[in-house]
Amino acid sequence: PTNEPSKQPTPKPSKKPTSEPSKQPTPGPSNAPSKKPTLRPTPNPVTDSPTPYEPFFFGDDFDTYKDLGIEVSRGLSVKLIAQTGKPVQYANGGESRLDYHAKSDGAGIIPMNPNNPLEDGYVYVVNSERYDAEGGVYGIYFDKDGNVADYKVLLTDTTDNCGGGLTPWNTWVSCEEYEDGQCWQVDPVSGDAQKTKLGGNGGRYESVAVDNTNTMNPVFFTTEDDEEGAMRRFVANGNGWDALHSDGDESFLRIIDDNKYEWTTDEDAARESAAQYYRNSEGVQHHEGKLYFMAKKDLKLLILDLENMTYEMERTGKKFYGEGSFGNQPDQ
């Protein structure tokens, strides 16, 4: 049995932008990447948008871009910047040596200069979910004005790179979604890439979230897209690149009853719990002491209170901000 979801919709958030953009131009991006990722979290979290933004929510007002075959919420605009099988066109008139990769999937934005993300541009880091060691991670590099400046391959010889997540020290974790998959840390500034401790002995990994409340012991949560895919919890020893490549404390999510859970070292017990309560977990996000993740097979959103060790559950059909639903396929 599960908790009944609230029948009251969550209040619609304000559409007012969070801040006014700066009117002062900033210098272009540096051509020299750093030699090593930062070892301490930066004052500007990696989730900061390179420019102020206004949120848009699913609704009835759409604009159709017929040439691209997509619809977007009214007020947004769309620009084609890359297409599979073709070189990426640069703003300076050049183009990439590589053709843009196939089967794009999970992605994130990482600033080139995290201490002042508006100055040196940013990278769109994106997975390729190709099979048989033909997957990987790629980066489209933008200047401060949003112009495409470069396109690079960052990780190769991996398989079914599906989702992933950003770290507090401005790197990307890419998850392989097949039976022997692993989770790889990628730094688009230095170009480094390395297998992490998050994947253990391997699995069909989907996405990663991090609780960086204790900066010297960040906690990583990894979902597995399998009917018995237990949520993995990894408490790192230290902060920075090496934290994901050194030993830490590993445990797994086990639901105890209708509203309580525990982290257990018994992986088999956690897998039994996953099969009963949260089959095929996918997207995951940490926010203000709670962990949100999707259970695709059961069409559920689970919300873990990390302090009180209790959880809530919402099902398909629950209205978010008064509009929309899971649409029969919760994913990211």
Side-chain angles (χ1 to χ4, degrees):
T2 59
N3 291 341
E4 287 295 325
S6 169
K7 296 181 180 179
Q8 298 298 322
T10 305
K12 189 171 183 179
S14 169
K15 292 185 177 180
K16 185 178 179 181
T18 55
S19 60
E20 292 297 326
S22 171
K23 297 181 179 179
Q24 297 298 321
T26 52
S30 168
N31 292 324
S34 64
K35 295 182 178 180
K36 191 174 182 179
T38 54
L39 298 179
R40 291 288 184 271
T42 61
N44 299 86
V46 72
T47 52
D48 280 358
S49 173
T51 57
Y53 67 94
E54 179 178 353
F56 289 83
F57 300 92
F58 181 86
D60 297 327
D61 295 328
F62 293 96
D63 287 326
T64 301
Y65 287 75
K66 293 182 179 180
D67 292 345
L68 301 178
I70 61 174
E71 289 183 329
V72 298
S73 296
R74 184 154 298 163
L76 295 176
S77 61
V78 176
K79 177 182 178 182
L80 179 64
I81 60 173
Q83 191 169 357
T84 294
K86 297 181 179 181
V88 177
Q89 302 300 308
Y90 299 156
N92 64 5
E95 65 179 24
S96 63
R97 179 179 56 85
L98 299 171
D99 289 342
Y100 191 68
H101 62 277
K103 300 196 71 175
S104 293
D105 208 300
I109 299 291
I110 293 178
M112 293 295 291
N113 177 6
N115 293 313
N116 196 340
L118 296 182
E119 284 196 359
D120 292 333
Y122 55 96
V123 190
Y124 174 71
V125 185
V126 56
N127 289 342
S128 171
E129 197 177 7
R130 297 187 68 186
Y131 52 85
D132 292 342
E134 293 184 353
V137 178
Y138 297 78
I140 301 179
Y141 291 72
F142 296 83
D143 65 20
K144 66 180 181 63
D145 296 316
N147 299 309
V148 177
D150 203 355
Y151 172 67
K152 298 178 182 179
V153 58
L154 301 171
L155 175 68
T156 59
D157 300 322
T158 52
T159 297
D160 291 333
N161 297 70
C162 190
L166 297 165
T167 72
W169 43 87
N170 302 292
T171 61
W172 170 252
V173 177
S174 178
C175 299
E176 293 180 287
E177 188 188 3
Y178 78 108
E179 58 271 17
D180 296 320
Q182 286 292 337
C183 302
W184 299 78
Q185 183 172 203
V186 177
D187 181 0
V189 178
S190 70
D192 292 338
Q194 186 178 347
K195 184 173 71 174
T196 72
K197 293 285 188 176
L198 299 179
N201 294 324
R204 297 174 54 84
Y205 299 122
E206 183 72 29
S207 298
V208 173
V210 59
D211 175 3
N212 196 42
T213 304
N214 181 347
T215 58
M216 293 313 299
N217 294 109
V219 183
F220 288 82
F221 304 92
T222 306
T223 58
E224 184 176 358
D225 189 0
D226 186 271
E227 289 201 8
E228 295 182 350
M231 167 79 76
R232 308 174 74 92
R233 177 178 181 264
F234 180 81
V235 182
N237 291 317
N239 197 289
W241 176 272
D242 292 339
L244 290 180
H245 308 288
S246 306
D247 290 337
D249 295 328
E250 184 179 63
S251 55
F252 308 88
L253 174 63
R254 176 176 174 264
I255 303 294
I256 298 175
D257 55 26
D258 288 349
N259 73 331
K260 293 183 175 60
Y261 71 90
E262 68 175 359
W263 298 106
T264 177
T265 56
D266 187 339
E267 185 174 357
D268 290 337
R271 290 191 173 277
E272 291 177 6
S273 176
Q276 181 177 356
Y277 291 98
Y278 60 97
R279 295 181 296 171
N280 298 86
S281 55
E282 295 222 6
V284 60
Q285 183 68 43
H286 173 266
H287 180 66
E288 294 183 350
K290 293 185 178 180
L291 189 72
Y292 300 76
F293 71 98
M294 313 301 298
K296 177 177 65 177
K297 194 79 171 182
D298 298 318
L299 308 177
K300 297 175 181 176
L301 168 67
L302 284 84
I303 307 169
L304 307 184
D305 187 314
L306 299 177
E307 181 177 356
N308 297 329
M309 301 296 287
T310 59
Y311 77 95
E312 302 174 70
M313 189 179 297
E314 296 178 357
R315 292 182 175 275
T316 295
K318 172 71 177 178
K319 294 288 186 178
F320 293 97
Y321 308 116
E323 298 289 347
S325 69
F326 289 149
N328 296 321
Q329 182 61 38
D331 193 335
Q332 297 298 328

